[in-house]
Amino acid sequence: MDTFEFVQIPVAIILGFGISEILAGWGHQLRHRDENPFSRLQFAGSAYILMMALRYLWVQWSTRPDSWDYAAYLLTMAPPVLIALAAHSIRFDPTIRQDDRRSLYDRSRKPVCWLLACVFPVWMVRAFYIADVSSPKPTLFILAGFLLTSLVFIRLATTSRPWEQGLGWSICWAIMLAFFTVVLPGLSPAR
């Protein structure tokens, strides 16, 4: 077992907590669907966070450094913590009775979007900090996607217009799907 695999254990545990929060929230929502209306925006956001957690786990294998220091460790641990906090914040909560589906989403929208807006700059700093001969620096395409996604999340945190919320989540999903179809196939899971 190399150093990276020891670092990946707490990353996987933290992201696992976030993933379990999302899945538990979906289960509660299905069980209490008659009492609490379903929010499409909240589902889109929680599904996005789930995919973000899985993407982070996969990409770590391709972008790991050869040598570790404490800064690299902190920069590797920060995004999973932010993702797990966002997953906990957006979770469907059956104990809170809501009359309309918008209030369920609006209650968690700001903290979730601010947390997600912070993930991508930290992820970029990590990518540049650990970039060395064995792991290439991020391309302009990846940096543009990170920057655009952060800006969209900042806008999502500051607006409450439903059409802007839907458009923002659609843009974030389009960027993620572009990542999965263009960037991810070129990343090898192991060295």
Side-chain angles (χ1 to χ4, degrees):
M1 212 178 213
D2 66 355
T3 309
F4 171 74
E5 291 167 346
F6 283 108
V7 171
Q8 196 66 357
I9 290 170
V11 168
I13 290 170
I14 292 170
L15 287 175
F17 284 135
I19 291 169
S20 67
E21 284 285 331
I22 291 170
L23 296 178
W26 288 354
H28 287 301
Q29 180 64 28
L30 286 173
R31 206 171 319 131
H32 299 277
R33 65 187 171 276
D34 296 332
E35 301 161 17
N36 290 330
F38 177 74
S39 170
R40 287 182 183 91
L41 290 173
Q42 190 163 9
F43 179 76
S46 60
Y48 182 87
I49 294 169
L50 175 68
M51 294 306 297
M52 200 170 162
L54 297 173
R55 174 175 62 169
Y56 191 81
L57 281 171
W58 183 268
V59 169
Q60 295 312 325
W61 286 96
S62 303
T63 61
R64 61 183 183 244
D66 290 330
S67 62
W68 286 88
D69 59 4
Y70 194 63
Y73 176 73
L74 288 178
L75 289 171
T76 299
M77 294 304 295
V81 169
L82 294 170
I83 292 169
L85 286 171
H88 180 74
S89 298
I90 202 167
R91 179 182 181 197
F92 293 102
D93 191 355
T95 61
I96 298 175
R97 179 113 170 102
Q98 301 289 338
D99 293 329
D100 64 4
R101 57 186 163 179
R102 290 284 309 156
S103 58
L104 268 173
Y105 172 71
D106 284 335
R107 186 176 51 83
S108 62
R109 174 183 52 83
K110 283 185 182 182
V112 166
C113 291
W114 282 116
L115 286 165
L116 293 177
C118 293
V119 168
F120 293 102
V122 173
W123 202 336
M124 280 193 295
V125 169
R126 179 197 178 274
F128 280 108
Y129 184 80
I130 67 168
D132 56 8
V133 179
S134 60
S135 97
K137 291 190 184 222
T139 64
L140 187 60
F141 178 74
I142 294 172
L143 294 177
F146 279 3
L147 178 64
L148 180 61
T149 306
S150 289
L151 293 174
V152 169
F153 279 123
I154 289 170
R155 183 62 189 157
L156 286 173
T158 58
T159 186
S160 61
R161 296 181 187 140
W163 69 271
E164 281 187 65
Q165 292 290 322
L167 178 65
W169 283 111
S170 298
I171 291 170
C172 291
W173 271 102
I175 293 170
M176 182 179 287
L177 292 176
F179 176 84
F180 281 130
T181 57
V182 176
V183 177
L184 198 58
L187 295 177
S188 169
R191 281 196 254 183

